[in-house]
Amino acid sequence: MIPNPAAPGPLKALGPVIQLAYFPTDFDAAMTYWIETVGVGPFFVLNDVKLGEMKYKGAPTEAVFTMAIGYWNDIQIELIKTDSTEPSLYHGEYAVRDRLHHVCVFVDDIKAARAACAESGAEVIVEGKVGEDGEVIYVDPGKGPGYVIEYLQPMAGSEGLFQMMKDAARDWDGTDPVRVLQ
């Protein structure tokens, strides 16, 4: 029987899902799959990513990771590779591999996202700063690994970077499928 709640929860109201994120066992093979089988590309690789003031389950961590972002129309496909053994979403119970790891929602106000998450009982798993004025939280809304939601208040100027990636995907002819950003 399908439940009939009195009212929908507050998380959907924060915005649409803009990203599907995966934590593959084989990062390069996953990129090849998305490029050659699905047609997503080009992928833009960001190495040595580290959040400012990052915390995992409330404790400071120095986790470092690599991410590759490509677009499938308006949806970001993100592939993640961990570059450290520090506590993070990519070690331990939340390190689900080779299936959907998390989804991402862009928000204008991270404080409002935190409030909605608190209202719904979602646990903040990871939090940190993105650049000078951006902030991110990853929350478990209660279903555990594989159901994580990332709420990102992007840093100023990042909309241009994401638009460049989206434009490259729209006109992509298959050349230069993997592009490393500095």
Side-chain angles (χ1 to χ4, degrees):
M1 181 174 172
I2 298 174
N4 188 11
L11 300 181
K12 179 182 173 188
L14 292 171
V17 170
I18 61 90
Q19 178 195 85
L20 305 177
Y22 298 86
F23 180 43
T25 302
D26 186 329
F27 186 78
D28 294 333
M31 246 192 298
T32 298
Y33 166 79
W34 282 98
I35 291 165
E36 293 181 0
T37 302
V38 183
V40 172
F43 275 90
F44 293 87
V45 178
L46 294 98
N47 292 303
D48 302 318
V49 176
K50 183 178 167 194
L51 299 175
E53 301 175 28
M54 184 178 183
K55 293 180 183 174
Y56 176 71
K57 294 189 171 186
T61 184
E62 299 292 320
V64 178
F65 53 95
T66 293
M67 61 183 177
I69 297 174
Y71 272 86
W72 185 351
N73 297 317
D74 289 332
I75 298 288
Q76 274 186 11
I77 302 298
E78 180 184 49
L79 305 175
I80 303 125
K81 176 174 70 169
T82 187
D83 296 327
S84 70
T85 57
E86 291 286 322
S88 75
L89 217 47
Y90 310 115
H91 286 284
E93 68 180 305
Y94 286 94
V96 295
R97 290 197 173 257
D98 301 321
R99 63 182 176 107
L100 186 64
H101 186 270
H102 66 269
V103 298
C104 178
V105 175
F106 284 179
V107 296
D108 294 326
D109 182 353
I110 200 73
K111 288 183 177 119
R114 282 181 181 275
C117 290
E119 178 186 338
S120 72
E123 177 188 4
V124 175
I125 304 299
V126 172
E127 57 191 303
K129 304 287 184 190
V130 181
E132 293 293 317
D133 57 355
E135 196 169 337
V136 65
I137 58 174
Y138 293 77
V139 302
D140 178 348
K143 294 289 279 182
Y147 292 89
V148 171
I149 303 172
E150 171 187 4
Y151 291 102
L152 174 63
Q153 179 181 313
M155 66 181 184
S158 61
E159 57 277 343
L161 175 65
F162 293 133
Q163 189 61 52
M164 178 275 297
M165 293 175 179
K166 191 183 288 188
D167 291 347
R170 184 184 56 246
D171 301 327
W172 187 53
D173 63 3
T175 57
D176 198 14
V178 179
R179 304 170 188 187
V180 177
L181 298 178
Q182 301 300 332

